[in-house]
Amino acid sequence: MIVWLVVGTIVSMPEAAHAAAALCPDDPKLARIVAASDLILVGRMKVATQRLVEEARKPSPNYLDIPIQVDGVIKGDDAETATVRFYPKDASYRPSNDAVLGLVDTPAILFLTRMDQGQAGLYFAGNQPAALQAATDQAMGAARAETSRQTQIIRSWHPDSSLAHFDEVRALIARLGQVSGPEQQRVFEQLEALGHAAVPAIIAQMDDRRPLRTKAISLVNHASNAFEGMRHYGPDQVVDGLDAILNQMTGASFGSIMNGASPRQRDGAVAGWRIYAADLPCHERQ
């Protein structure tokens, strides 16, 4: 008899389809941004309005540090205050200046990611404008429910060697950390060439903290508006390079570890990708 482990409970095959369906997100877009967030706060932004307006007029504005009076925490560590770093230049992949100004000193939900290296601090997560929302009862309830769903998935996660391309992926990943230069680059290219069907198997085996011998990877830039033909990264560990490959294959992103990161950031990225893999059957049924 085939059995599945779902949220710590063994269920038989007839029950498994129902259990898997129950784990699907109500809102896939919300699921993606929750998975990409280290911290989800309910709070009030204390924005220096005039300074934001002045910076927004500049061709190259400076980042602004926006203090948050925290009223509640949906995901992450408890805090009374926090500060989010905000770049006041409108773009499709972050909250707009008008969205920030419209929620000044008003209850809002802030989906945040924490950078531990470089310009360390909290930033809006997920490359989505929805990283900042009005804190309505409905929005807060949905965020709490989705956070709980994802917590259950992570707690029950286990590697599945029956996944498509699992053995091929395992053999290729085993070579990383042992080869260097062009040979290492070829391994990454071979992983990408396995195609989307191999994504779950790569995710299942990506949490590999061995150092790479060559701290570089170059991938063809397939974006329609690309300025450069290649995307270049400087991963430190195997997991960093596999994160870059998964982003290349899917367009999804959970944090930023492609150029090296802290252990905490790597933990968050791996967890985000595991949520992504768990939700793939849900997307395929839609």
Side-chain angles (χ1 to χ4, degrees):
M1 179 179 67
I2 299 175
V3 297
W4 284 12
L5 177 64
V6 180
V7 195
T9 303
I10 299 297
V11 296
S12 62
M13 187 59 195
E15 299 167 331
H18 298 292
L23 289 179
C24 288
D26 291 331
D27 182 343
K29 290 183 179 179
L30 175 63
R32 186 72 59 85
I33 197 168
V34 169
S37 299
D38 298 308
L39 193 62
I40 304 175
L41 301 178
V42 177
R44 302 165 189 266
M45 297 182 293
K46 305 297 182 179
V47 179
T49 303
Q50 186 57 38
R51 187 182 171 203
L52 190 155
V53 171
E54 291 173 356
E55 286 294 331
R57 291 184 182 133
K58 298 178 181 179
S60 299
N62 294 311
Y63 273 91
L64 299 179
D65 288 334
I66 300 177
I68 310 300
Q69 177 187 317
V70 179
D71 299 324
V73 178
I74 294 175
K75 179 180 178 180
D77 299 330
D78 288 337
E80 294 183 359
T81 61
T83 301
V84 60
R85 303 198 74 227
F86 177 67
Y87 191 63
K89 188 172 184 178
D90 285 341
S92 61
Y93 51 85
R94 58 174 167 256
S96 67
N97 296 334
D98 285 345
V100 171
L101 292 171
L103 288 171
V104 171
D105 207 23
T106 300
I109 307 174
L110 300 96
F111 299 81
L112 305 173
T113 186
R114 181 180 284 112
M115 299 292 294
D116 296 329
Q117 298 177 321
Q119 297 295 319
L122 293 171
Y123 297 81
F124 285 112
N127 295 325
Q128 297 184 43
L132 177 64
Q133 303 179 21
T136 64
D137 289 343
Q138 181 179 0
M140 289 188 292
R144 290 190 182 101
E146 179 56 32
T147 299
S148 177
R149 185 189 74 91
Q150 294 189 9
T151 298
Q152 290 179 321
I153 290 173
I154 293 301
R155 284 176 178 170
S156 65
W157 183 89
H158 63 290
D160 180 2
S161 60
S162 70
L163 291 168
H165 300 290
F166 190 92
D167 290 341
E168 294 167 86
V169 168
R170 178 171 55 190
L172 287 168
I173 290 177
R175 296 182 62 199
L176 295 172
Q178 300 180 16
V179 296
S180 60
E183 192 172 355
Q184 176 183 288
Q185 176 68 30
R186 279 194 294 274
V187 172
F188 283 120
E189 291 171 355
Q190 288 173 300
L191 283 165
E192 182 185 357
L194 292 175
H196 198 266
V199 165
I202 297 173
I203 293 170
Q205 301 176 79
M206 73 178 294
D207 195 11
D208 187 329
R209 309 295 173 101
R210 290 176 298 146
L212 289 168
R213 289 194 173 184
T214 299
K215 313 297 185 183
I217 178 174
S218 297
L219 303 171
V220 175
N221 193 339
H222 297 298
S224 58
N225 58 348
F227 292 105
E228 298 178 325
M230 301 294 291
R231 304 162 69 195
H232 303 287
Y233 302 107
D236 287 330
Q237 297 182 3
V238 173
V239 64
D240 306 338
L242 294 176
D243 178 76
I245 288 294
L246 287 166
N247 171 259
Q248 173 82 351
M249 297 171 76
T250 69
S253 177
F254 300 95
S256 180
I257 69 171
M258 302 169 186
N259 294 300
S262 69
R264 185 207 58 76
Q265 286 177 279
R266 290 186 174 107
D267 290 344
V270 169
W273 282 112
R274 288 175 179 175
I275 296 295
Y276 178 91
D279 287 351
L280 277 176
C282 305
H283 303 325
E284 291 166 359
R285 285 197 295 270
Q286 292 173 352

